[in-house]
Every structure is written in structure tokens, then in C-alpha cells.
Amino acid sequence: LEGESLINDGTALVVYHAAVAVALGGSFSLLHASGDFVLDVAGGVLVGVIGARLLGVVMERIQDDVLGVTVSLLCGYAAYLPAEELGVSGVIASVTLGLTLGRQGHRISSAASRLRGDAFWEVLVFLLNAALFVLVGLQFPGVLEAQDRSAVALLALGLLTGATVIGTRLVWLNTAPYLVRALDRRPQQRARRIGWRGRLITGWSGLRGAVSLAAALALPGDFPERDLIVFLTLCVIFATLVLQGLTLPLIIRFAAPEDDGAGAREELVARKHAARVAIERIEALRAEDWTRTDSVERLSRIYEFRMRRVLQQAGHGEEDDEDLDERSHAWQRMVRDVLDHQRAELVRLRDEGTIADEVLHHVVRELDLEDERLEI
């Protein structure tokens, strides 16, 4: 869904770019505009794929975690700038590169780099979203002053626009699926159908935010009714984030969707296969000269327990077996208690001046990574 959302945003911004050009005095031809749209999207996808191939080779050879995160920050520009120079969509190129590299992420980057990268991008995205809203806050007084409409008229326009956006999404999601059903009668298509409950939740989840705001702020200063568009965009964001966001839990409880358990089943399959491969590899390592028998036995017992636990969760355990979930949680609770005491002792040593801050952070990071692996 996140990938689809990126593609939707990218194609919308291509149309937006053409629409802005027309509104500022350009001519419009449906045939010409459609051809440009296809060319922009296809060209952007091609540039993104080529850029992802080249950057994938580079990132595989990067050993430093900080450098890897820095390169990931520049990846979008590595697709955007060449695409814009070639006259195709830089947004689509960046989206394509991001999706392609994201699929390869676990192969071309190290575990430490992924941990650093996830934390970095989470903070950066939050700050970028916050910066956009700060920019709107700075422009908002000027936007209101430039309006010759009354407060009542502005409020009515904001309510109408927000209701149109929300209502259009709800209507589309409750009509278009029936058209798809009428045209596509394949069994696999029928298996993908969802009822009104799922459609209601999906329709009410159409929150607007950074992309809409950035598009409004990117309008040229002399664009007709630019101030009004910024105001209405903010109204839509407020309506969706606040109204829909705060009431979404109520909608979910009202719709009471049934969990088909597909996600849990897939996770069990993944854990079972991972544990099986680990056990097979451990057995193969027994014959290696550099392995120790006690180490192999200890590691083997850990993964055999994981396999038994997964099988029990999948309903394939013996009836008289102990509850392995309860046993695992008790073990993890004990591990966390030990980790907490280790951290407290390290802080005490730092406060006394026995160890330096750098040593504290290095050792505590290892403990935090171990803590992060716990399920409780």
C-alpha cells in the first residue's frame, strides 16, 4: 500500500505540473497532454530503474554505516536531477529508484546500516512534515489578509472542499469495485474481494498531509487564487487528519472487520523456514574445524526451541507439551531484567568517572540491540 501510495502521489504530481503550466497561460490538448503524461511516467521509471542498478552496485561496496545512510539521503536526487534534465518526471524517477532499492535493501546493506538508516529516516520525515506545517503557519496570516472573502465564505469553502475530498473517496471505493467485479470474473479476482467493512475503513483512512501541502506551497507566487488554494489545502488536511484521524478508531470498531489471520500465518511460515535453515546450517557447521562442540550444541538448542515454539503456535504441537509461549516470555522477562541492571551499573560507572561517555554509549547500544529483539 505504501508503494502504491507513492506511485499515486508521483503520477498526481505529473498531472499537477502540467495543470500549473496550463493555468499560467499554456495551451491544452488532451491528446498532447496524454502523450506527455505517458512519456513523463515511462521516462521517469526508466531513469529510476537505471539509477537503482548503478546505486545498488555502489551501496554494496560501502562499508561505513554513516556513509551508507548519507548515500541513501542523496539517492532521490541521483534519480530526480537526471530525469529533470532529460525532460521526464523526476518525481516518478525518485519513487521508482526508492522502491527498487528498497526491495534490495536487505541484500546491499548491513544490519547496522539498516538500524541507523531506519532511525535517521523516521526522524527526518517527521522534521520535514513539521517544517511544512511551520511554513504554512508563517504564510497563513498573509493568506487570510489577501482574501477579500468574508470569514463565513472562507469557512463554507473549506467545509465544502473537505467534504468533497472525503466524500469522493468514499463514493469511489464503494462504486468502482463493482465495476471491476462486472468486468473481471476470474476466480483469483473474486478471492481478493472485500466487503463494505473493509471499504469503509479504507475510505475513511484517506488522510492528507505533506504531499498536498508541498504541492500547494510550490505554486508560483503569481498563480491565480494561490492564497485561497493554500487555505483550502490546509482545510482538507485539517479535516482529514483531525476529523478522520481521531474518528478512525470509532469507524474500525463500528465496522468490526474480521482478521483473516493471513499476516500471522505468513509470519509463522517465515519463522519456521528461517529456523529450519538455521538448524540445517548448524548441523553442517559441526564438521568445520573452527567450531566448538559446546557452542554448536548451545546454538542448536536455541533454534530447536524456536522451531518447536513456531510449530506449537501453528497448532502442530503435542497436546501434553508445555506452553512454549509462556516459557519464552518468562525467559525474555528475565533477560530484560538483567539488561536493565547492566545499564544501571554502566550509568553508575560513568557518573563515578570510571568509564567515559563514549564507552557507555558503545556498550549500552549493544544492550539496547539485544533488548530490541525481545517480544515483550
Side-chain angles (χ1 to χ4, degrees), residues 8-268:
N8 289 342
D9 290 341
T11 52
L13 290 174
V14 172
V15 177
Y16 157 89
H17 180 73
V20 170
V22 172
L24 291 177
S27 60
F28 178 77
S29 165
L30 180 61
L31 182 61
H32 184 265
S34 301
D36 284 346
F37 176 80
V38 173
L39 180 61
D40 283 349
V41 172
V45 169
L46 180 60
V47 172
V49 170
I50 295 173
R53 291 289 182 88
L54 297 176
L55 279 171
V57 174
V58 173
M59 296 184 73
E60 276 186 314
R61 287 162 171 74
I62 294 177
Q63 302 296 324
D64 184 81
D65 301 336
V66 176
L67 180 59
V69 175
T70 305
V71 171
S72 75
L73 179 62
L74 303 176
C75 281
Y77 297 100
Y80 182 87
L81 296 177
E84 289 293 313
E85 286 296 322
L86 293 172
V88 296
S89 173
V91 175
I92 293 294
S94 297
V95 168
T96 303
L97 183 141
L99 291 175
T100 306
L101 282 182
R103 294 279 294 180
Q104 304 173 20
H106 292 82
R107 180 179 60 81
I108 63 178
S109 61
S110 65
S113 179
R114 289 193 294 274
L115 287 170
R116 286 179 184 269
D118 289 346
F120 169 79
W121 279 102
E122 185 174 357
V123 174
L124 180 63
V125 169
F126 173 80
L127 291 177
L128 289 175
N129 280 316
L132 283 172
F133 283 97
V134 169
L135 289 175
V136 168
L138 294 174
Q139 292 196 20
F140 198 61
V143 168
L144 294 180
E145 290 177 4
Q147 290 297 310
D148 56 2
R149 299 173 177 84
S150 66
V152 175
L154 288 175
L155 181 60
L157 286 172
L159 291 173
L160 180 61
T161 306
T164 301
V165 171
I166 296 174
T168 301
R169 180 179 176 88
L170 289 171
V171 170
W172 174 263
L173 286 172
N174 285 280
T175 54
Y178 294 102
L179 177 61
V180 174
R181 293 181 184 184
L183 299 176
D184 191 346
R185 311 294 297 179
R186 293 176 299 166
Q188 58 266 42
Q189 181 63 38
R190 290 198 293 270
R192 296 191 185 102
R193 294 176 182 173
I194 61 174
W196 67 269
R197 301 174 189 273
R199 291 199 299 272
L200 175 61
I201 295 172
T202 303
W204 202 252
S205 301
L207 310 185
R208 299 295 187 270
V211 175
S212 301
L213 197 52
L217 293 175
L219 290 172
D222 59 345
F223 192 88
E225 296 282 14
R226 180 184 185 276
D227 292 333
L228 178 61
I229 292 174
V230 173
F231 172 77
L232 295 178
T233 302
L234 192 60
C235 289
V236 170
I237 293 172
F238 181 84
T240 57
L241 285 182
V242 177
L243 173 62
Q244 289 185 284
L246 294 179
T247 57
L248 184 58
L250 299 176
I251 296 294
I252 294 175
R253 283 197 290 269
F254 168 75
E258 295 181 359
D259 185 3
D260 62 1
R265 288 195 298 272
E266 289 181 8
E267 183 175 339
L268 286 176

